[in-house]
Structure formats: structure tokens, C-alpha cells
Amino acid sequence: MTENPRFDQLLAQGLEASRDNRTDAALELFAQASAAAPGSGVPHFLMGSEHASAGDIQAAELAFANAVLLAPEFHLARYQLGLLQFSSDRAAVALITWQPLFSLPESDPLRHFVSGFAALAQDRFQEALHHYRAGLQRNDDNPAVSADIGKVIAAVEQLMQPPAAGQPAAAASHVLLSGYSKGMH
């Protein structure tokens, strides 16, 4: 918690509204928290998460970008911003957004996850899987990110399977893989 009790209260109320699936109330409370502590990236990150959950990717990207602008060392916000960009067929932009994460310590799961996406953007599937699995082994803090990466691993493994006779090649069916083939080649 911060030294600003009003900010903390607004965040707590916003998180409660989010858990109760009251998106509009959560967004309003996070906006109020942002006004109470304009230099904090946390409310913007939470707004980005709400928008992403509601399917408003453009608003989510803007909110995550604001979080990163206000708090460049907020690694999870940077990761989520890049993930939205990657899954929106903008792998090159995501790799630029993620650039600072490539320099994180070897022990940081985000370093491995972004390295996995970088490999995926170049169709280096085995390398991508290696990084995703290494990141999962190091990720004790964020089960939601681990669950998403688990889905990415399954999708990459599916892409690597040879098609059965008379069947078309496996397509990237997961949203996180939708932009990889248009990435950097």
C-alpha cells in the first residue's frame, strides 16, 4: 500500500468491482485512483486489464501504454502491452515494446516469455517452447500469465504436428499466436 489512503481505497474498491464483473464501476474507480495519484501507473494497468477482459483492445493498449509511460520499470505492464501488440499482428512493435524485458535477469520469467515470442515471430518453434517452459519454471508470482503461456505452448505444439493425410496444416488457433506468421521474417 502507499502513503495515500484514498488511492489505496479506490484501488481496493476497483478490484472488488472487477471481481464482481462490474466493469464500468471498476473503470471509474481506477480513473479516480489515477486522479488521486497521477504519477502512478497502477491504475492505468488495471484499466488496461479491465478493457482487455471486456474485449476493448484499443482502450486496453492505450491504458497499458499509459502505465508504461508513467512507470517504465513496471515490467508486467510492459509485457501486457507487448502481448496485445503481438496478438494484433504487430510482432515488430511488440518486440520494441519488450526490448527492456530482454535484459531482465535470467531468473525473471518475463525475460523468457518475451524471448519465446521473439523466437515464435521467426518460426523458431523449438526455441520458443524452450523459453516458454523456462519462464514457467520461474513464474511463481502470476498464475494467470502461466495459464496463458500454457495455452501458447499447446498451440505451438499443435503447429509443429505434421498434418494427417488429406488434412490441411494446423492453423494458429490461439489469439496469442494469431500474429506470429506476419511477424519478422
Side-chain angles (χ1 to χ4, degrees), residues 7 37-47 63-64 66-68 70-71 74 77:
F7 174 77
S40 175
V42 172
H44 296 279
F45 173 78
L46 295 171
M47 285 187 271
F64 286 136
N66 284 333
V68 171
L70 290 168
F74 191 171

Side-chain angles (χ1 to χ4, degrees), residues 99-177:
Q99 196 60 45
L101 302 181
F102 290 107
S103 300
L104 290 172
E106 181 76 19
S107 60
D108 195 302
L110 294 179
R111 174 183 174 167
H112 292 281
F113 296 150
V114 298
S115 294
F117 284 109
L120 186 63
Q122 297 179 358
D123 294 339
R124 297 190 322 256
F125 300 128
Q126 289 293 344
E127 182 181 341
L129 289 173
H130 167 77
H131 283 295
Y132 293 142
R133 290 179 178 131
L136 286 176
Q137 290 174 347
R138 292 161 174 83
N139 189 20
D140 298 325
D141 297 332
N142 199 323
V145 172
S146 288
D148 286 343
I149 293 297
K151 292 174 187 173
V152 173
I153 289 171
V156 171
E157 288 172 340
Q158 179 71 27
L159 281 173
M160 294 173 61
Q161 296 298 316
Q167 295 292 320
S173 60
H174 192 277
V175 67
L176 298 177
L177 297 179

Side-chain angles (χ1 to χ4, degrees), residues 18-110:
S18 179
R19 281 190 295 275
D20 293 341
N21 294 317
R22 294 182 295 124
T23 301
D24 291 339
L27 288 169
E28 176 58 31
L29 289 160
F30 296 145
Q32 290 176 33
S34 178
S40 175
V42 172
H44 296 279
F45 173 78
L46 295 171
M47 285 187 271
S49 298
E50 280 299 311
H51 287 302
S53 292
D56 188 346
I57 302 307
Q58 186 175 3
E61 185 173 349
L62 179 62
F64 286 136
N66 284 333
V68 171
L69 182 65
L70 290 168
E73 299 302 314
F74 191 171
H75 300 310
L76 188 57
R78 183 177 294 280
Y79 172 76
Q80 291 295 347
L81 174 59
L83 192 59
L84 281 178
Q85 294 164 335
F86 190 92
S87 63
S88 299
D89 293 338
R90 294 179 292 140
V93 174
L95 293 171
I96 292 167
T97 297
W98 285 332
Q99 196 60 45
L101 302 181
F102 290 107
S103 300
L104 290 172
E106 181 76 19
S107 60
D108 195 302
L110 294 179

